[in-house]
Amino acid sequence: MAVHYELIKTCKQTGARLGRIHTLHGTIETPVFMPVGTLATVKTMSPEELKEIGSRIILANTYHLFLRPGHDVVEEAGGLHRFMNWDRAILTDSGGFQVFSLSDLRKITEEGVSFRSHLSGEPLFISPEKSIEIQNSLGADIIMAFDECPPYPADRDYVRSSMDRTYRWLQRCVEAHRRPEEQGLFGIVQGGMYRDLREESARQITSVDLPGYAIGGLSVGEPKELMYEALEHTTPLLPKEKPRYLMGVGSPDALVEGVMRGVDMFDCVLPTRIARNGTTMTSQGRLVVRNARYARDFSPLDPECDCYTCRNYSRAYLRHLIKADETFGLRLTTYHNLYFLLRLMEGVREAIRQDRLRDYRNAFFEKYYGSVE
Ligand SMILES: CC1(C)O[C@@H]2[C@@H](CO[C@@]3(CNc4nc5cc6c(=O)[nH]c(N)nc6cc5[nH]4)OC(C)(C)O[C@@H]23)O1
Ligand SMILES: [Zn+2]
């Protein structure tokens, strides 16, 4: 079995679950946050540093690697694990969403999506079959079905016809998948912000027996309350013995709120993206280390953090590097932000073990959101 989930326990206080996902490249404790490595690198981090902070699974993107360097190049290198020297687990997103968030001049038909490369402008086409062919070449442990993520907001008729097509595309993905024993294919539930459509899409997608299911169509600009409501309508309809993956999330509050609503896996560019402009997540809340107030602050970024950055460098030094656009500064803030989120998920897993996740959430939010930037 390429991907096998083991449910260890469900928190008595909330709908949160403790689990493990077994893959051909190791076991992942859940709930888990997956750092995003879109172009076969988690920006500025080495594989050794990712291991040092405890990451066991990272993301890469079909759309980006199809455009550059080409999935044929990665396949010739022996697959993504070899190409990027990462021997732990990898998940690849299927490309549909990235087409919408990156390229213009795109057209959706039953067959697939025509678009122009956001790099060269050349006309390209991705179908469910093409997406699976690319993902089979890349060789990730978990691959995603080719779906359409409707924009937010989107009217009901559009969301319904789009989710029905996403269901038909899932069946074509299953047909096209050549390596089901090595690469677990996850289906993706859509349905926009409409309760009955979410429930119907969950029934459609879970009618196909797969090793895991993702909740798509969220974290696309909707208010967080709407995202949480969509989760409450969807996760109860997903099989308990399979992992649930909320795509594109996220911030510390959204991670904890998602876990409380039964989500096991998350990914987001947030921690690495904001790090590159000098915004960090600390135990006292968001800290924008490039602010002038830190120019002569020789204390650690986060006094409660024991990561390499916080043990060896001051806020003044980090501010200096970020202001000078020194690459080392981006590396130090990225390292800390990922370390912070991976430690947060460790705390969440421990709180589930002790059936006290609601208390953990309240204490964390008080500290993190109680204070100012
Ligand atoms: C939160 C934050 C910081 O993450 C940023 C930016 C805007 O949101 C993000 C993250 N949200 C997000 N929702 C998704 C939904 C799907 C989906 O329905 N299907 C498939 N196959 N993949 C998906 C990937 C997703 N990523 O999406 C882009 C546009 C990639 O940048 C990310 O705000
Ligand atoms: Zn730190």
Side-chain angles (χ1 to χ4, degrees):
M1 184 92 95
V3 173
H4 173 67
Y5 177 69
E6 189 191 345
L7 174 59
I8 296 167
K9 75 168 284 188
T10 304
C11 174
K12 292 191 176 56
Q13 250 189 7
T14 66
R17 299 135 48 90
L18 193 66
R20 283 195 199 101
I21 302 177
H22 300 278
T23 75
L24 297 186
H25 287 89
T27 296
I28 299 124
E29 291 194 303
T30 62
V32 61
F33 175 78
M34 304 182 283
V36 174
T38 296
L39 283 159
T41 163
V42 176
K43 289 183 173 37
T44 79
M45 289 290 99
S46 71
E48 291 72 23
E49 286 163 334
L50 289 170
K51 287 184 178 177
E52 210 171 80
I53 63 176
S55 179
R56 296 194 168 275
I57 180 167
I58 60 171
L59 238 83
N61 260 306
T62 297
Y63 169 81
H64 295 79
L65 294 168
F66 171 51
L67 265 54
R68 183 175 51 178
H71 59 295
D72 49 326
V73 171
V74 179
E75 185 165 30
E76 216 174 300
L80 256 184
H81 291 87
R82 271 287 338 109
F83 192 52
M84 65 186 291
N85 184 33
W86 175 254
D87 61 5
R88 292 183 176 183
I90 300 174
L91 183 152
T92 44
D93 196 356
S94 51
F97 182 83
Q98 286 73 32
V99 167
F100 291 92
S101 58
L102 280 172
S103 339
D104 47 17
L105 289 185
R106 59 191 176 254
K107 188 164 155 288
I108 311 179
T109 62
E110 186 62 25
E111 193 43 33
V113 184
S114 312
F115 61 97
R116 283 191 180 285
S117 158
H118 72 287
L119 300 172
S120 66
E122 70 175 298
L124 294 167
F125 177 75
I126 298 189
S127 63
E129 292 79 11
K130 184 70 184 173
S131 171
I132 297 299
E133 177 204 327
I134 296 166
Q135 295 187 79
N136 282 162
S137 301
L138 298 174
D141 300 279
I142 299 175
I143 65 175
M144 301 309 294
F146 189 72
D147 64 330
E148 185 201 350
C149 170
Y152 173 78
D155 71 45
R156 213 189 131 74
D157 293 347
Y158 185 84
V159 170
R160 164 176 280 292
S161 62
S162 162
M163 75 182 222
D164 288 343
R165 179 166 50 217
T166 285
Y167 176 43
R168 294 192 294 276
W169 281 359
L170 171 61
Q171 290 159 319
R172 286 169 53 186
C173 290
V174 172
E175 280 311 301
H177 190 9
R178 296 197 319 277
R179 304 173 58 190
E181 286 316 301
E182 295 142 85
Q183 301 178 266
L185 172 65
F186 281 23
I188 304 175
V189 175
Q190 293 292 348
M193 307 301 153
Y194 301 97
R195 170 171 196 156
D196 59 332
L197 298 186
R198 277 276 159 196
E199 290 169 348
E200 178 157 351
S201 181
R203 273 190 286 277
Q204 289 174 330
I205 301 298
T206 56
S207 72
V208 183
D209 181 27
L210 296 165
Y213 298 95
I215 300 140
L218 296 176
S219 187
V220 287
E222 78 283 4
K224 278 183 179 163
E225 290 61 43
L226 277 186
M227 177 166 80
Y228 299 155
E229 267 177 50
L231 287 182
E232 285 151 18
H233 303 152
T234 310
T235 49
L237 296 173
L238 302 180
K240 291 191 176 3
E241 72 285 359
K242 303 285 176 74
R244 296 88 175 260
Y245 164 26
L246 176 55
M247 306 185 86
V249 171
S251 51
D253 55 330
L255 289 174
V256 179
E257 295 293 345
V259 168
M260 293 179 76
R261 291 165 175 79
V263 175
D264 308 301
M265 302 161 71
F266 303 86
D267 86 274
C268 193
V269 294
L270 190 74
T272 40
R273 182 179 289 178
I274 62 173
R276 294 196 293 282
N277 62 41
T279 300
T280 63
M281 301 168 173
T282 76
S283 50
Q284 316 300 319
R286 267 166 85 105
L287 189 153
V288 185
V289 78
R290 67 179 304 134
N291 280 353
R293 76 177 83 159
Y294 301 113
R296 296 173 186 279
D297 180 341
F298 301 103
S299 66
L301 181 63
D302 182 349
E304 294 181 28
C305 179
D306 63 349
C307 86
Y308 170 72
T309 298
C310 296
R311 279 186 288 106
N312 294 289
Y313 304 95
S314 70
R315 292 170 178 181
Y317 179 65
L318 290 173
R319 176 178 182 272
H320 159 63
L321 293 184
I322 296 288
K323 295 285 282 183
D325 204 17
E326 277 293 342
T327 306
F328 188 49
L330 312 183
R331 280 176 34 74
L332 289 170
T333 51
T334 298
Y335 185 99
H336 166 80
N337 279 357
L338 288 175
Y339 186 91
F340 179 85
L341 278 192
L342 292 173
R343 294 294 79 68
L344 171 61
M345 297 312 271
E346 224 167 58
V348 162
R349 294 194 295 268
E350 187 50 34
I352 298 172
R353 272 188 204 95
Q354 299 171 15
D355 292 312
R356 44 176 286 282
L357 182 58
R358 189 174 303 285
D359 305 337
Y360 181 86
R361 179 203 62 180
N362 295 343
F364 174 79
F365 281 22
E366 177 54 37
K367 267 181 82 174
Y368 191 85
Y369 294 101
S371 43
V372 291
E373 289 203 8

